[in-house]
């Protein structure tokens, strides 16, 4: 009645003999269960201009820019919706897809159209986190695989271990070699970057202390990709955390023919610029304000 017949909430309440608040709750429940999905079909000239400029400036195969309701709006919902729509069209049977994690990726799940794909494999590219929370690598990889009725492969270790020796032992002696070897033949990788300020998130999980974050910042770190901390030029910084992280290394990720990077926000502009070199994405999904800031910052650096 609401989405198809265009009846008002009050009209529906009268027909069903319930209060308007009940109708509001039922509609919200329907969206939360993905029974109702809303998409917007439009092509805004300024958005298209930004997409072409990003493609030309950073050598992308495709840039997707999500419009915002206001310059200071939280870009995550818009980017996530754009990401979900893109993934719905891009994922095919027979693919091996390596996935990262983060708020943007997790929030894209409701916008992905579920379908059954044959021989579809999802490989988590990062170990788990020590504290159970909504955004974690295992949860996203599992739910992403579930949407396409595929198989999920996880790295059942902490995100960061205490030494290189521990990392080697876990990979070689604890049955993780197969998962890491699968990363050599990925058809696509789906990644997001974190700004250096958000690295404090990990300190609450016991993986990265504030002193480590400050040391990374002093060495020029602007953000991380799967816990690999890098500078504005896209070079990994010299810090032990980069060798202690239980994640697939960047060189392997760059071998994937489809490299999707989805992120945005003022605090991530430097990280996004560094990632253009670090991972050399083929697909970038971001919001219009982040796109403008990236282009402006790149132009300023070039001059």
């Amino acid at each position: 009645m609401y989405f198809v017949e265009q009846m008002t909430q009050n009209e529906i309440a009268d027909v069903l003999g319930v209060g308007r608040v009940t109708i509001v709750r039922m509609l919200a429940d329907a969206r939360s269960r993905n029974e109702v999905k809303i998409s917007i079909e439009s092509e805004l000239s300024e958005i298209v201009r930004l997409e072409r400029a990003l493609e030309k400036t950073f050598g992308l195969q495709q840039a997707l820019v999500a419009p915002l309701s206001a310059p200071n709006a939280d870009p995550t919902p818009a980017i996530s919706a754009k990401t979900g729509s893109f993934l719905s069209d891009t994922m095919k049977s027979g693919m091996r897809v390596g996935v990262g994690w983060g708020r943007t990726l997790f929030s894209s799940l409701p916008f992905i159209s579920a379908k059954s794909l044959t021989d579809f494999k999802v490989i988590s590219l990062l170990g788990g986190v020590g504290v159970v929370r909504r955004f974690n690598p295992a949860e996203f990889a599992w739910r992403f695989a579930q949407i396409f009725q595929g198989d999920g492969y996880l790295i059942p270790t902490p995100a960061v271990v205490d030494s290189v020796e521990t990392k080697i032992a876990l990979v070689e002696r604890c049955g993780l070699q197969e998962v890491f070897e699968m990363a050599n033949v990925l058809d696509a990788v789906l990644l997001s970057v974190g700004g250096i300020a958000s690295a404090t998130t990990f300190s609450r999980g016991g993986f990265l202390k504030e002193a480590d974050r400050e040391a990374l910042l002093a060495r020029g770190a602007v953000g991380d990709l799967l816990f690999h901390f890098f500078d504005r030029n896209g070079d990994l910084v010299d810090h032990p955390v980069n060798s202690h992280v239980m994640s697939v290394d960047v060189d392997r990720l760059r071998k994937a023919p489809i490299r999707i990077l989805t992120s945005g926000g003022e605090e991530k502009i430097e990280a996004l610029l560094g990632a253009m070199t670090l991972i050399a994405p083929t697909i970038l999904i971001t919001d219009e304000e982040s796109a403008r800031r990236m282009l402006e910052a790149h132009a300023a650096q070039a001059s």
Side-chain angles (χ1 to χ4, degrees):
M1 287 185 282
Y2 187 76
F3 290 102
V4 178
E5 298 179 15
Q6 304 294 305
M7 293 174 62
T8 68
Q9 294 170 355
N10 285 331
E11 289 171 338
I12 299 171
D14 290 339
V15 170
L16 298 182
V18 298
R20 180 179 176 276
V21 173
T22 300
I23 301 303
V24 172
R25 185 175 67 251
M26 292 171 68
L27 290 171
D29 289 344
R31 289 190 63 183
S32 67
R33 292 194 301 267
N34 294 330
E35 293 173 358
V36 173
K37 297 190 178 186
I38 298 173
S39 61
I40 299 174
E41 300 289 341
S42 66
E43 189 168 289
L44 305 177
S45 58
E46 173 61 11
I47 296 298
V48 174
R49 185 194 71 78
L50 288 170
E51 290 174 340
R52 298 297 87 80
L54 287 170
E55 292 165 359
K56 180 179 180 180
T57 301
F58 299 108
L60 302 163
Q61 290 181 10
Q62 185 178 10
L64 298 169
V65 174
L68 296 177
S69 59
N72 60 347
D74 178 6
T76 300
I79 299 172
S80 297
K82 200 79 167 178
T83 301
S85 176
F86 175 79
L87 294 173
S88 299
D89 296 333
T90 305
M91 298 297 101
K92 308 294 182 185
S93 293
M95 291 185 72
R96 293 189 177 193
V97 184
V99 300
W101 73 308
R103 180 186 170 207
T104 302
L105 290 179
F106 193 90
S107 299
S108 72
L109 292 170
F111 299 98
I112 303 175
S113 299
K115 57 184 175 181
S116 179
L117 299 179
T118 59
D119 191 27
F120 186 78
K121 295 180 173 61
V122 177
I123 298 93
S124 180
L125 300 172
L126 177 68
V129 293
V131 178
V132 177
R133 53 170 64 94
R134 184 181 179 192
F135 311 120
N136 65 76
E139 175 72 5
F140 175 74
W142 174 77
R143 291 189 58 179
F144 185 70
Q146 189 179 46
I147 286 174
F148 298 109
Q149 297 184 29
D151 298 323
Y153 297 83
L154 307 178
I155 301 178
T157 69
V160 178
V161 294
D162 60 349
S163 67
V164 175
E165 290 74 21
T166 299
K167 178 176 180 178
I168 294 173
L170 286 170
V171 173
E172 296 182 353
R173 303 174 192 172
C174 298
L176 299 181
Q177 191 67 41
E178 179 186 1
V179 178
F180 279 85
E181 287 178 352
M182 291 180 71
N184 290 325
V185 288
L186 295 174
D187 297 295
V189 291
L190 174 60
L191 304 165
S192 185
V193 296
I196 191 63
S198 66
T200 54
T201 300
F202 301 117
S203 67
R204 293 196 294 273
F207 293 124
L208 192 69
K209 296 180 172 58
E210 178 61 21
D212 293 322
R213 193 189 75 86
E214 292 177 357
L216 286 163
L217 190 61
R219 297 178 191 186
V222 296
D224 79 284
L225 180 103
L226 299 178
F227 248 137
H228 296 290
F229 288 87
F230 57 90
D231 61 21
R232 166 69 181 269
N233 298 321
D235 297 320
L236 296 178
V237 300
D238 182 18
H239 191 277
V241 69
N242 280 339
S243 57
H244 295 174
V245 60
M246 292 299 298
S247 67
V248 175
D249 61 78
V250 176
D251 288 340
R252 294 194 198 192
L253 301 178
R254 287 174 61 101
K255 293 178 182 178
I258 302 173
R259 299 179 297 281
I260 307 162
L261 182 64
T262 173
S263 279
E266 187 174 3
E267 76 285 356
K268 293 186 179 181
I269 301 306
E270 292 291 303
L272 280 167
L273 290 170
M276 293 299 102
T277 301
L278 178 70
I279 193 64
T282 58
I283 310 293
L284 173 65
I285 307 175
T286 191
D287 65 280
E288 59 178 310
E289 285 302 312
S290 296
R292 291 190 184 96
R293 291 189 178 106
M294 287 179 67
L295 292 168
E296 291 169 358
H298 182 271
Q301 185 181 39
S303 62

